[in-house]
């Protein structure tokens, strides 16, 4: 992620303290691991309030993959855990089925539901890179910016005001993905 | 819908890339960073980089290579070869790997799979199975194909299942470097048994082999010789696949 | 073998994709080029580009030059249309034909330009030809990489940021697509995508140094310069064909008339029909032969396909020409085998491994192509 942002000419900083978060102009939550572990560690480090506080100031916030999932109200992974509750919805396991193997790994199509500054200058109906076993079920339809099909149609991009989340990895998704990251760095949080 | 993947598989040995034949010492096929850059420019869906020299002495050099690759190639990167502990995996993830490939550890210390999946998520692990057919049975091998493991495939899959395997990569030792086509038999047997995505490795020589494997149920095809010793590249591979009705990434 | 319903290119053609009508992406790219690209807008962009760089450095631009129809037209156009002061840079692949050299002399003297020419170490070239033949069935690695890397080194050395190439790759392949409506960047990414056959100089070093006395500096001309040096130069490396609609037949007429540029007979090509095509290299015949053995088609198919797309030929005539002329063994093969100290059996064995399905070559039944008039003037190695 850092490499991708640097290659676009931006200056990313890896932060881990509440103070650093409050000082950021843009905040990216990348994600690796599980919903439960991530939330527990954020709580331990006192970052949950810092992130919520940051979001309230209207500055741009982007959650990626697990980082998008923890924006939800609740996640089922590991027995159930509260999320940051910045975008109402829950995160539940993807189900196996005929032709559906778990985890969902690889390139899948992102069907845009409505326009958003972060998708400017990207093509619609193109593929991005996914790697996850749980998916976001948004509560409010108008907060779903794109959907992707894998057995079910899940929300691949969600947003509310200055908060945005994508299930796929833009930093691994070639030109369109890098465009999203670039758009985010230029975003003022309004949409 | 989810597309099929074409994944260049690169074997690293003491700073260079090599290509083996039937797991025997191979020929130089290039510089790891430059070659990865080339594949990235050629729209590879992912990259797999395996240290076949064994991690003990080379972990530092290997992880530095991973770092260099991750800093210039924005392609999903899976690395492995000799991972024996969570610490080994930590070093590789912090060097920029997206997934780790584990083989020998699944026989020696299967706990590691659980540890890694708990910390990084099950989707961050590829379990690699090296095998050879013997009297109608697949025999499993560890330590880069040098040690036969005394366990049936069925039992081995059961062992892994509970621990959080993300994807499974099946590698035919006999077909490695042969360029005569993948082994579809074991693929079909395993794919029917496990819910994980299947990556098939060993034997691709031309694009028709890729079509066969993907039609037989592989979710992804790992490729070595076909790109190193053929007038082929991932872009051409995918044009061919598309002409034969295989769904590949659209951008 | 599947073929494009329109132009006849086969499925073994690199990057080809057929749509639901059986028409190939190359044809569709050409349609877009003709109907959708706003060429007057593109010309306007070229005007601005030229204006931005004119007079700012020792040379207004750098023009990599082979002497074939495309680079000759590019040089002619930029000098005539814009009165630019270019530095012409020629990478000598080692196989320049007499007629080509005569053309070049006329071109340079008629236009009045400064020219730099570079010829790499022949011993290194021979070793590179062998390795790239074995790995890719394409022995021209030194030429592909030299042509696209060396001029960039010169651009940096002479501080010339603007580099003009000729035709955009979308004219022939789909590594880049006219339908993206973008200016194709001739950069390292493109170099890796298809120019260098997927092999960089760093890769090649390890591949040949075990049995060849290689000085690492020997591979410098084939190495793409570091991106930071190019960025510092604020380079712009573009194709003239991204700004004007490329039409090789028309260009040939122009350079024949204005520069006395002469076509040539070419091994395995219909006499008198495509005399402007690939006249600059006497290994062209072997190159085409390899393509035929691997993929079941060659230059005749490519040229007739282009004519069909430009509305200059019907499919029936194309098929006839292909049947009559394609798939012949060139006299230059003898020279090639001499350079590489290889027998034809060894050559066939190597190529056999590289055949692209579904094509299957029949090594036994291949007729010979005729010799060109300058055959005896092509370089022969001294017997040891």
């Amino acid at each position: 992620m850092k490499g991708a942002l640097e290659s676009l000419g931006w200056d990313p900083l890896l932060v881990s303290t509440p103070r650093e978060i409050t000082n950021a102009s843009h905040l990216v939550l990348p994600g690796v691991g599980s919903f439960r572990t991530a939330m527990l560690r954020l709580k331990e480090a006192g970052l949950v309030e810092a992130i919520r506080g940051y979001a309230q100031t209207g500055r741009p916030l982007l959650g990626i993959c697990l980082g998008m999932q923890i924006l939800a109200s609740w996640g089922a992974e590991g027995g159930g855990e509260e999320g940051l509750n910045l975008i109402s919805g829950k995160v539940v396991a993807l189900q196996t089925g005929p032709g559906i193997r778990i985890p969902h790994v690889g390139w899948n199509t992102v069907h845009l539901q409505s326009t958003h500054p972060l998708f400017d200058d990207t093509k619609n109906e193109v593929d991005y890179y996914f790697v996850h076993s749980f998916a976001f079920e948004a509560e409010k339809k108008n907060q779903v910016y794109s959907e992707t099909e894998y057995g079910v149609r899940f929300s691949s991009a969600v947003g509310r005001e200055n908060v945005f989340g994508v299930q796929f990895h833009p930093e691994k998704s070639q030109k369109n993905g890098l465009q999203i990251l670039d758009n985010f760095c230029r975003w003022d949080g309004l949409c | 819908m989810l597309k099929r993947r074409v994944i260049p598989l690169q074997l690293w040995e003491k700073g260079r890339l090599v290509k083996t034949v039937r797991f025997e010492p191979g020929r130089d096929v290039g510089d790891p960073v430059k070659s990865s850059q080339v594949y990235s420019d050629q729209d590879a869906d992912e990259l797999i980089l395996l240290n076949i020299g064994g991690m003990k002495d080379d972990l530092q050099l290997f992880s530095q290579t991973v770092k260099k690759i991750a800093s210039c190639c924005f392609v999903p990167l899976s690395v492995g070869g000799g991972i024996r502990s969570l610490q080994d995996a930590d070093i590789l993830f912090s060097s920029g790997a997206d997934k780790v490939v584990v083989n020998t550890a699944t026989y020696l210390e299967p706990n590691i799979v659980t540890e890694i999946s708990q910390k990084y998520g099950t989707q961050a692990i590829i379990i690699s199975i090296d095998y050879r057919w013997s009297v109608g049975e697949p025999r499993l091998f560890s330590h880069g194909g040098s040690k036969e493991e005394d366990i049936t495939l069925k039992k081995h899959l059961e062992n892994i299942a509970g621990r959080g395997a993300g994807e499974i990569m099946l590698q035919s030792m006999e077909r490695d470097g042969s360029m005569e086509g993948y082994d579809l038999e074991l693929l079909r047997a395993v794919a029917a048994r496990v819910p994980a995505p299947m990556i098939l490795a060993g034997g691709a020589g031309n694009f028709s082999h890729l079509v066969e494997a993907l039609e037989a149920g592989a979710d992804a095809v790992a490729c070595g010789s076909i790109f190193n010793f053929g007038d082929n590249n991932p872009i051409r591979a995918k044009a061919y696949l598309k002409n034969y009705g295989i769904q590949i990434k659209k951008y | 073998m599947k073929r494009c319903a329109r132009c006849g290119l086969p499925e073994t053609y690199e990057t080809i994709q057929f749509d639901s009508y059986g028409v190939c992406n190359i044809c569709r790219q050409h349609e877009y080029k003709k109907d959708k690209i706003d060429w007057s807008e593109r010309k306007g962009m070229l005007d601005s580009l030229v204006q931005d760089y004119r007079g700012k450095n020792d040379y207004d631009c750098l023009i990599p030059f082979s002497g074939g129809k495309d680079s000759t037209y590019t040089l002619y156009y930029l000098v005539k249309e814009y009165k630019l002061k270019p530095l012409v840079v020629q990478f000598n692949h080692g196989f320049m034909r007499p007629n080509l050299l005569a053309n070049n002399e006329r071109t340079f003297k008629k236009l009045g330009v400064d020219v730099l020419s570079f010829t790499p170490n022949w011993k290194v070239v021979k070793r590179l030809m062998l390795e790239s033949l074995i790995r890719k069935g394409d022995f021209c690695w030194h030429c592909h990489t030299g042509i696209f890397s060396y001029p960039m080194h010169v651009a940096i050395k002479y501080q010339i940021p603007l580099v003009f190439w000729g035709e955009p790759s979308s004219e022939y392949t789909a590594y880049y697509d006219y339908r993206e409506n973008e200016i194709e960047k001739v950069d390292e990414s493109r170099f890796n995508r298809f120019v260098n056959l997927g092999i960089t100089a760093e890769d090649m070093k390890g591949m040949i140094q075990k049995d060849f006395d290689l000085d690492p500096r020997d591979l410098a001309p084939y190495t793409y310069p570091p991106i930071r040096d190019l960025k510092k130069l604020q380079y712009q490396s573009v194709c003239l064909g991204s700004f004007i609609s490329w039409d090789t037949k028309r260009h040939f007429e122009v350079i024949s008339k204005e520069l006395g540029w002469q076509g040539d007979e070419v091994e395995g090509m219909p006499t008198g029909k495509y005399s402007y095509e690939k006249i600059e290299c006497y290994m062209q015949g072997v190159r085409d032969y390899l393509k035929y053995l691997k993929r079941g088609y060659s230059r005749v198919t490519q040229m007739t396909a282009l004519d069909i797309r430009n509305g200059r030929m019907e499919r029936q005539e194309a098929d006839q020409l292909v049947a009559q002329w394609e798939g012949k063994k060139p006299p230059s093969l003898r020279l090639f085998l001499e350079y590489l100290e290889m027998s034809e059996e060894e050559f066939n064995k190597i190529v056999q491994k590289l055949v692209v399905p579904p094509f299957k070559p029949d090594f036994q039944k291949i007729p010979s192509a005729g010799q060109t008039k300058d055959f005896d003037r092509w370089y022969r190695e001294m017997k040891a």
Side-chain angles (χ1 to χ4, degrees):
Chain A
M1 172 63 68
K2 196 157 179 278
L5 290 168
E6 280 166 353
S7 82
L8 291 167
W10 300 102
D11 202 5
L13 202 63
L14 220 59
V15 301
S16 53
T17 66
R19 186 143 155 265
E20 286 171 311
I21 290 178
T22 8
N23 287 338
S25 69
H26 293 70
L27 188 64
V28 176
L29 297 179
V32 133
S34 76
F35 192 105
R36 187 146 196 275
T37 326
M39 283 311 298
L40 290 175
R41 284 166 70 201
L42 285 177
K43 284 195 181 119
E44 261 171 58
L47 295 177
V48 172
E49 281 319 308
I51 296 174
R52 285 209 185 106
Y54 171 92
Q56 286 207 314
T57 66
R59 279 172 289 171
L61 174 69
L62 177 66
I64 294 175
C65 194
L66 181 65
M68 172 252 214
Q69 292 180 353
I70 58 177
L71 298 174
S73 325
W74 181 84
E77 196 167 4
E81 185 66 40
E82 267 183 11
L84 295 168
N85 201 24
L86 289 171
I87 296 185
S88 352
K90 54 188 204 297
V91 174
V92 295
L94 285 169
Q95 300 297 322
T96 53
I100 304 294
R101 294 178 170 271
I102 304 296
H104 177 215
V105 183
W107 297 82
N108 204 340
T109 312
V110 165
H111 306 286
L112 296 179
Q113 304 298 303
S114 41
T115 58
H116 190 281
L118 293 200
F119 279 110
D120 279 352
D121 297 319
T122 63
K123 295 198 190 145
N124 190 5
E125 305 291 315
V126 288
D127 297 336
Y128 292 82
Y129 188 78
F130 289 84
V131 55
H132 61 116
S133 316
F134 286 75
F136 203 113
E137 263 176 28
E139 218 177 82
K140 306 197 171 93
K141 277 254 96 168
N142 66 351
Q143 288 182 346
V144 176
Y145 281 87
S146 78
E147 288 182 333
T148 295
E149 196 140 336
Y150 194 58
V152 292
R153 253 179 111 90
F154 66 88
S155 309
S156 39
V158 293
R160 180 180 68 83
E161 293 166 9
N162 57 313
V163 177
F164 203 78
V166 290
Q167 179 63 72
F168 52 85
H169 286 266
E171 78 282 12
K172 300 280 163 185
S173 298
Q174 291 186 279
K175 221 167 96 176
N176 292 308
L178 293 177
Q179 184 67 55
I180 290 177
L181 290 179
D182 200 53
N183 291 343
F184 175 73
C185 295
R186 295 175 199 284
W187 193 32
D188 55 8
L190 301 169
C191 62
Chain B
M1 64 171 291
L2 184 63
K3 309 301 185 297
R4 305 305 183 112
R5 292 168 280 155
V6 175
I7 309 178
L9 170 51
Q10 304 187 102
L11 306 176
W12 184 93
E13 192 170 45
K14 302 216 183 304
R16 290 289 294 185
L17 295 177
V18 296
K19 185 66 200 73
T20 52
V21 175
R22 282 176 262 285
F23 277 48
E24 290 303 308
R27 294 154 76 173
D28 187 301
V29 292
D31 172 89
V33 180
K34 280 293 177 184
S35 179
S36 301
Q37 182 69 68
V38 167
Y39 281 132
S40 175
D41 287 328
Q42 291 175 341
D43 303 335
D45 293 323
E46 296 185 27
L47 287 178
I48 298 178
L49 182 69
L50 296 181
N51 177 352
I52 63 168
M55 206 60 90
K56 269 197 321 293
D57 307 316
D58 296 326
L59 179 56
Q60 226 209 357
L61 182 58
F62 185 64
S63 63
Q64 275 168 16
T65 305
V66 172
K67 209 176 259 177
K68 283 198 196 121
I69 295 174
S71 72
C72 65
C73 306
F74 305 119
V75 176
L77 180 64
S78 308
V79 307
I83 294 176
R84 294 280 186 276
S85 65
L86 179 62
Q87 288 72 27
D88 289 343
D90 285 335
I91 291 174
L92 295 173
F93 280 117
S94 64
S95 297
D98 298 296
K99 297 185 253 179
V100 291
V101 183
V102 191
N103 182 344
T104 301
T106 60
Y107 304 100
L108 293 180
E109 282 274 13
N111 254 343
I112 292 171
V113 179
T114 318
E115 286 176 7
I116 298 176
S117 77
Q118 274 176 353
K119 186 167 180 183
Y120 295 98
T122 55
Q123 57 272 8
I125 303 182
I126 297 175
I127 304 283
S128 175
I129 300 176
D130 294 338
Y131 71 94
R132 180 177 284 182
W133 288 101
S134 177
V135 200
E137 287 294 314
R139 302 306 310 161
L140 309 184
F141 286 77
S142 63
H143 294 85
S146 60
K147 175 169 183 282
E148 183 170 338
E149 291 290 332
D150 189 17
I151 185 173
T152 63
L153 176 62
K154 184 161 177 284
K155 195 85 194 24
H156 187 55
L157 290 174
E158 280 167 19
N159 277 356
I160 308 170
R163 298 184 179 280
E167 297 163 88
I168 294 190
M169 180 161 81
L170 292 178
Q171 182 150 230
S172 159
M173 291 168 60
E174 293 138 316
R175 288 177 179 265
D176 169 51
S178 69
M179 298 181 78
E180 284 166 5
Y182 291 106
D183 172 33
L184 304 180
E185 211 184 314
L186 194 68
L187 166 71
R188 290 196 179 102
V190 176
R193 263 211 187 98
V194 301
M198 307 287 312
I199 304 172
L200 196 56
N206 62 54
F207 296 151
S208 67
H209 298 149
L210 306 185
V211 174
E212 277 168 14
L214 295 169
E215 283 181 344
D219 296 284
V221 283
C223 302
S225 299
I226 189 176
F227 292 140
N228 288 308
F229 299 111
D231 191 13
N232 305 313
N233 61 45
I235 298 173
R236 297 184 193 178
K238 287 192 269 185
Y240 185 96
L241 291 178
K242 204 141 177 272
N243 288 335
Y244 280 81
I246 308 278
Q247 296 291 327
I248 46 117
K249 115 181 128 184
K250 202 176 17 153
Y251 53 97
Chain C
M1 277 219 290
K2 274 192 271 217
R3 284 179 188 274
C4 172
R6 201 177 279 177
C7 72
L9 284 182
E11 62 177 286
T12 49
Y13 188 86
E14 56 176 324
T15 72
I16 200 170
Q17 282 177 41
F18 304 110
D19 64 15
S20 49
Y21 297 92
V23 176
C24 75
N25 45 353
I26 319 293
C27 280
R28 296 299 186 203
Q29 284 167 202
H30 273 251
E31 272 175 1
Y32 189 90
K33 167 195 169 195
K34 261 188 302 208
D35 304 331
K36 295 276 195 331
I37 294 183
D38 184 348
W39 289 106
S40 59
E41 185 188 24
R42 293 286 183 99
K43 178 68 164 57
M45 289 167 73
L46 180 57
D47 293 340
S48 311
L49 187 62
V50 163
Q51 194 55 24
D52 286 345
Y53 287 88
R54 188 195 291 280
K56 302 240 166 72
N57 302 88
D58 289 349
Y59 292 93
D60 296 331
C61 65
L62 190 151
I63 300 178
F65 187 88
S66 66
K69 65 196 184 303
D70 297 314
S71 52
T72 303
Y73 183 79
T74 302
L75 175 60
Y76 169 81
Y77 182 88
L78 290 169
V79 167
K80 282 296 171 180
E81 177 78 8
Y82 292 105
K83 292 196 174 44
L84 286 180
K85 180 182 169 64
L87 176 63
V88 179
V89 177
Q90 196 172 44
F91 182 89
N92 184 354
H93 42 60
F95 310 117
M96 301 196 133
R97 296 176 68 185
N99 173 64
L100 173 81
L101 296 171
N103 276 347
N104 290 353
E105 184 171 17
R106 267 193 298 273
T107 300
F108 300 148
K109 288 184 171 168
K110 186 94 206 291
L111 293 176
V113 288
D114 290 356
V115 183
L116 271 185
S117 182
F118 175 82
T119 306
N121 179 332
W122 170 241
K123 290 187 171 156
V124 175
V125 165
K126 282 193 288 183
R127 184 64 187 86
L128 294 172
M129 288 204 289
L130 175 63
E131 197 63 30
S132 85
L133 174 74
I134 290 172
R135 291 187 192 246
K136 295 284 161 181
D138 177 341
F139 60 90
C140 308
W141 185 86
H142 72 288
C143 186
H144 301 313
T145 54
I147 283 181
F148 283 94
S149 299
Y150 181 74
M152 304 313 286
H153 287 280
V154 177
I156 293 169
K157 277 203 175 83
Y158 279 70
Q159 292 287 292
I160 311 171
L162 182 57
V163 182
F164 276 111
W165 305 85
E167 77 284 10
S169 66
S170 187
E171 192 65 11
Y172 298 105
T173 53
Y175 291 106
Y176 291 83
D177 196 324
Y178 277 128
R179 293 171 290 183
E180 295 291 318
N181 207 0
E182 279 173 353
I183 306 296
E184 183 174 336
K185 289 201 188 102
V186 186
D187 57 8
E188 190 171 1
S189 176
R190 179 184 185 276
F191 188 69
N192 289 335
R193 258 174 107 70
F194 68 91
V195 173
N196 63 11
L197 310 178
I199 301 174
T200 63
E202 288 82 351
D203 296 327
M204 189 57 95
K205 185 166 84 141
M207 293 175 191
I208 64 174
Q209 67 188 6
K210 284 195 182 77
D211 61 70
F212 183 76
D213 190 9
L214 182 74
D215 182 327
R217 296 171 296 181
D218 289 337
L219 296 185
Y222 315 105
T223 310
Y224 209 83
I227 185 70
R228 62 171 180 278
D229 293 344
L230 290 168
K231 278 198 171 148
K232 217 163 105 190
L233 181 62
Q234 295 189 320
Y235 81 122
Q236 286 244 42
S237 176
V238 292
C239 302
L240 178 60
S242 293
F243 304 100
I244 65 172
S245 182
W246 211 251
D247 184 350
T248 50
K249 265 216 166 85
R250 195 180 64 81
H251 296 173
F252 165 57
E253 282 158 23
V254 170
I255 58 180
S256 305
K257 180 157 168 272
E258 302 295 326
L259 302 173
W261 193 88
Q262 282 177 14
D264 208 346
E265 38 162 357
V266 155
E267 285 176 331
M269 290 287 277
T271 28
K273 193 124 182 72
Y274 295 107
S275 64
Y276 49 85
E277 175 66 13
K278 206 67 186 173
I279 61 153
E280 63 266 26
C281 169
Y282 54 80
M283 282 291 115
Q284 153 274 332
V286 183
R287 187 171 169 69
D288 292 350
Y289 182 56
L290 276 164
K291 186 170 275 180
Y292 175 76
L293 292 176
K294 285 186 321 199
R295 298 176 184 275
Y297 78 92
S298 187
R299 200 170 296 271
V300 188
T301 301
Q302 275 177 245
M303 295 315 293
T304 54
L306 196 54
D307 268 348
I308 291 173
R309 277 181 223 125
N310 288 324
R312 293 190 173 115
M313 186 181 285
E314 296 297 323
R315 179 69 184 269
Q316 205 187 8
E317 185 187 350
D319 290 345
Q320 273 170 6
L321 279 172
V322 169
Q324 195 186 346
W325 289 92
E326 211 158 67
K328 300 211 167 83
K329 193 184 304 186
S332 53
L333 178 64
R334 217 183 319 151
L335 262 60
F336 178 75
L337 296 173
E338 216 177 81
Y339 298 152
L340 263 49
E341 295 173 69
M342 184 188 281
S343 69
E344 195 174 341
E345 291 73 57
E346 288 170 296
F347 177 84
N348 289 347
K349 238 176 95 190
I350 290 170
V351 179
Q352 181 73 62
K353 294 199 189 130
L354 296 155
V355 172
V356 178
F359 180 66
K360 277 193 179 73
D362 183 350
F363 287 95
Q364 307 310 318
K365 293 209 191 85
I366 302 180
S368 297
Q371 252 179 31
T372 58
K373 288 192 201 70
D374 57 343
F375 180 80
D376 291 327
R377 294 166 66 188
W378 297 350
Y379 177 72
R380 307 302 293 258
E381 294 267 73
M382 251 175 65
K383 297 272 184 271

